[in-house]
Amino acid sequence: MAEQDPQEEPEQSDSIFDIDVAVSDPAWKTALPDVERICVESALAVVGAATRPTELSIVLGSDAEIRVLNRDYRSKDKATNVLSFPSGLSPEISGTDMLGDVILAFETVSAEAVRDSKTLESHLRHLVVHGVLHLLGYDHETDDDAVEMERREIEILAGFGIADPYRPILESVQ
């Protein structure tokens, strides 16, 4: 029997999920040392009922990186918190659901968390869930679609003990 390096995590060959997390802005790791685990757990909470191999990518970047993508793909020359890029590939070709990519911008996400009196971890979980739902075809272009997507987000986040992110933020009365 071959020895396993104690530093190396065991392979999970029986898993049908391949969730790759790339940290391109080191500020994510400084603020949340276990950021990869948080992202994987959050994505799994969305796709956990998958019945065939499922792949997706999460990129933890900066405002500068996401601004370029937002400009080039959405004609909006500004940073945003999260972008989702569905792969558009048919699972019939490879037998795998290649969902696509979710990209998050550290400065915007962290500023929103502070503004809304949320922890960075809970806001990140929300945005990963939001982004993965987009990869699965959810949207918020119409009121009915927004209500359904928000309902799913609230339900999934409750599993992490996170309160409804859409409830009004109460400001202190002076």
Side-chain angles (χ1 to χ4, degrees), residues 114-155:
V114 169
R115 177 197 70 200
D116 297 343
S117 300
K118 298 176 180 178
T119 67
L120 179 58
E121 179 178 336
S122 66
H123 193 45
L124 173 61
R125 283 191 188 276
H126 176 209
L127 293 174
V128 169
V129 166
H130 183 88
V132 174
L133 284 171
H134 274 304
L135 297 182
L136 294 174
Y138 286 81
D139 214 326
H140 41 80
E141 294 300 315
T142 69
D143 288 343
D144 288 344
D145 290 344
V147 166
E148 178 60 19
M149 186 169 185
E150 289 172 12
R151 184 193 63 73
R152 287 287 299 134
E153 290 174 34
I154 293 164
E155 176 183 277

Side-chain angles (χ1 to χ4, degrees), residues 62-70 79-83 103-105:
S62 66
D63 273 13
E65 292 168 299
I66 212 164
R67 180 180 181 171
V68 170
L69 294 170
N70 205 21
T80 189
N81 53 14
V82 61
L83 291 173
I103 301 107
L104 298 110

Side-chain angles (χ1 to χ4, degrees), residues 73-112:
Y73 292 96
R74 299 180 67 230
S75 300
K76 296 182 180 188
D77 192 11
K78 63 180 183 174
T80 189
N81 53 14
V82 61
L83 291 173
S84 295
F85 294 97
S87 76
L89 299 174
S90 170
E92 282 70 40
I93 294 171
S94 67
T96 299
D97 278 334
M98 297 169 124
L99 299 182
D101 305 302
V102 175
I103 301 107
L104 298 110
F106 179 79
E107 297 92 338
T108 298
V109 173
S110 58
E112 289 173 348

Side-chain angles (χ1 to χ4, degrees), residues 3-13 19 29 33-34 36-37 40:
E3 270 187 54
Q4 182 175 347
D5 180 349
Q7 300 286 335
E8 187 179 317
E9 290 194 27
E11 284 188 36
Q12 297 180 4
S13 58
I19 301 170
K29 291 286 286 178
D34 58 347
E36 291 100 335
R37 176 190 58 79
V40 169

